[in-house]
Each structure stands twice: as C-alpha cells, then as structure tokens.
C-alpha cells in the first residue's frame, strides 16, 4: 500500500503510532547533536530531545511536521526534507553529529546513497542507527492481523502488504549497505517486548498507514474494520509481540 502522510493520516500517526521505550533510548546513547531522519510526527525525535542538546527532525511531509511542532520543545528543530536533501545539510551540520536515527522510514529512501551522505555529517566515532519498532500491524500472524488484511483488500484493492524494512532480508541488506558505505562495527540488537492494544489503538495504528485519501466513505470503512477486529478478538484486547531491532554502524576514527 502507498499512502500520503498528510491530513487525517498524519493525525492518526501522531495519536496512535507506537512510541519508543526507555530501554531503546538508553541503548541509543544519543549524545549532544542528533538528526532524526524521516521523523514523521516526532515520536522518536521528542524522546531524543529529552536526552540531547539539539535534535533535528527531518521529514518530507509538512503535515507530519505540523503535528510534531504541536509539542513545544525548545531544543528540537524541524526541517522539511527527504533523504535526497541530506547533502544540503553539510554546510550546517557537516562533521558535527553524534547520532543519526532512521526509525521505520528507511524503506522509503535510497539507502546506499543516504549512508554515503551521512558519513559527511557524522563526527568521527558518530553513529547511525536504523530502527525497526515492531512489524506493521497488517503483517501480524494473528487472527486480527488477517482481519486487517481482508478489510484492506476490500477497501484498497490490494494484497500487497509491505514489511516496511522489518524483515530479516531487509535488515541484512541494510547492514551490508552500511558496511559498503564505510561504517565500522555494524551490528544489530533486539529489545523485544509484548504490547497490548485496545480496539481504538489498533484501528488507529492501521489508519496511520492506510491510503485514506482514496476512501469515499470513511465511517463505513472504519466500522467494518472494527467489526472485523472484534470478530477476530471478541474481548477487544489485542496482544502483539513487538520486535524492536536497532542496526548500528559507526563512522571510523581517523588513522
């Protein structure tokens, strides 16, 4: 599914997308200067801002950034831009960043070109972290996951359910591309946990990734989705095994 991260989708994204737990923030060790690329509505950016001196959140969607700006955070700077705009940051940030995070967004980007560009922004010893904060809800191997897929197929005419950078194959490819771009010590950590979602949270999470602009009858679609989810899980409590993966590489020190 391909969607525009604008309008209602951005609002659902801000309200219902899963946040980032404290154990992940501790593992990232952000340092003073951080760039969160593909930051969306700022879930990770704002958490990083509590631990860093300055955080730049960069995303191509003005509507997503408008949601992020709604939380006033003095040390967070918001920039409209895609991965192709990263080289333009070099005059301002070149060689100064301690950490670049890319969370749930690399599948939209040209990873090899981006990783090469990031080497000029990071200080020696600076790191890039590619984060997968659980698999998309429509790929869940559960009865409620199948319910989402059936509703999506009916309303959006697709059985193409992308894994959005969370599959083993994609993670291995990203690791190889980091090494090819010159990053050292490339490794991946897992910080898995179990989450329980309400009906509103699960439906909202799917809405945040669906092409809502294609709908002519959102209330009916939303009603059918909720009915299908409750048919699959009548108690309305949806248990999800969340696989959090952090793929990290370091810009090598001189000499």
């Amino acid at each position: 599914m391909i969607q525009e991260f604008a309008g209602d989708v951005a609002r659902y994204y801000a309200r219902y997308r899963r946040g980032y737990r404290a154990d992940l923030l501790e593992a990232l060790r952000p340092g003073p200067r951080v760039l969160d690329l593909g930051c969306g509505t700022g879930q990770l950016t704002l958490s990083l801002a509590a631990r860093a001196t300055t955080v730049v959140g960069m995303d191509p969607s003005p509507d997503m950034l408008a949601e992020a700006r709604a939380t006033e955070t003095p040390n967070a700077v918001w920039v409209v831009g895609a991965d192709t705009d990263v080289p333009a940051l070099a005059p301002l940030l070149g060689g100064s960043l301690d950490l670049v995070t890319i969370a749930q967004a690399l599948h939209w980007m040209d990873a090899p070109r981006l990783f090469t560009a990031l080497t000029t922004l990071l200080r020696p010893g600076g790191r890039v972290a590619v984060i997968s904060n659980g698999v998309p809800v429509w790929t869940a191997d559960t009865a409620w996951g199948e319910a989402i897929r059936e509703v999506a197929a009916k309303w959006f005419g697709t059985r193409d359910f992308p894994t959005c950078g969370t599959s083993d194959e994609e993670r291995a490819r990203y690791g190889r591309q980091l090494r090819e771009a010159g990053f050292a010590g490339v490794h991946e950590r897992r910080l898995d946990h179990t989450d329980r979602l309400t009906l509103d949270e699960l439906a909202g999470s799917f809405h945040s990734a669906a092409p809502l602009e294609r709908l002519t009858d959102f209330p009916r679609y939303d009603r059918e989705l909720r009915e299908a989810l409750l048919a699959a899980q009548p108690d309305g409590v949806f248990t999800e095994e969340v696989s959090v993966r952090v793929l990290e590489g370091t810009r090598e020190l001189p000499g």
Side-chain angles (χ1 to χ4, degrees):
M1 295 184 299
I2 300 297
Q3 70 288 328
E4 295 181 13
F5 289 104
D8 288 337
V9 170
R11 287 187 282 276
Y12 278 110
Y13 200 108
R15 183 171 181 181
Y16 291 111
R17 276 297 177 105
R18 181 185 298 110
Y20 294 86
R21 288 159 46 103
D23 56 350
L24 171 64
L25 275 296
E26 292 168 5
L28 287 175
R29 299 170 286 114
R33 296 166 299 277
V34 180
L35 169 64
D36 185 21
L37 187 59
C39 68
T41 58
Q43 280 92 337
L44 180 58
T45 323
L46 295 169
S47 295
L48 290 167
R51 297 167 180 257
T53 303
T54 302
V55 179
V56 178
M58 187 171 180
D59 196 272
S61 168
D63 284 7
M64 297 283 269
L65 291 179
E67 295 289 340
R69 290 190 182 99
T71 301
E72 294 186 10
T73 308
N75 63 327
V77 179
W78 307 103
V79 178
V80 177
D83 58 304
T84 52
D85 299 308
V86 164
L89 297 176
L92 296 174
L93 303 176
S96 71
L97 294 176
D98 298 284
L99 176 67
V100 175
T101 55
I102 310 165
Q104 302 290 102
L106 190 56
H107 55 288
W108 297 111
M109 305 177 186
D110 183 340
R113 182 176 296 179
L114 172 63
F115 291 153
T116 299
L118 291 180
T119 61
T120 66
L121 300 184
L122 288 161
R123 64 167 177 79
R127 293 166 293 118
V128 58
V130 180
I131 302 161
S132 169
N133 195 30
V135 301
V137 292
W138 58 80
T139 67
D141 186 19
T142 60
W144 55 261
E146 179 58 30
I148 289 175
R149 291 188 286 275
E150 290 179 358
V151 171
K154 174 182 177 180
W155 282 89
F156 302 115
T158 181
R159 279 281 180 180
D160 178 21
F161 299 104
T163 53
C164 299
T166 65
S167 69
D168 290 341
E169 179 182 359
E170 289 165 303
R171 307 297 294 178
R173 183 172 72 249
Y174 296 155
R176 183 175 65 253
Q177 291 165 340
L178 278 170
R179 295 183 185 94
E180 290 170 350
F183 286 90
V186 176
H187 65 284
E188 185 168 70
R189 288 172 288 176
R190 298 186 65 142
L191 301 165
D192 298 350
H193 65 277
T194 300
D195 201 2
R196 288 174 177 79
L197 305 177
T198 66
L199 177 61
D200 282 347
E201 289 170 334
L202 185 54
S205 180
F206 181 60
H207 293 337
S208 77
L212 300 185
E213 72 279 358
R214 290 165 50 184
L215 295 176
T216 57
D217 191 348
F218 176 84
R220 182 181 169 196
Y221 148 80
D222 181 61
R223 183 173 63 253
E224 288 192 11
L225 175 63
R226 290 168 181 268
E227 289 172 352
L229 290 172
L230 286 176
Q233 190 68 39
D235 65 2
V237 179
F238 303 89
T239 301
E240 183 178 12
E241 300 303 321
V242 183
S243 175
V244 180
R245 304 171 72 169
V246 184
L247 177 65
E248 191 173 281
T250 303
R251 183 186 173 192
E252 291 188 287
L253 297 169

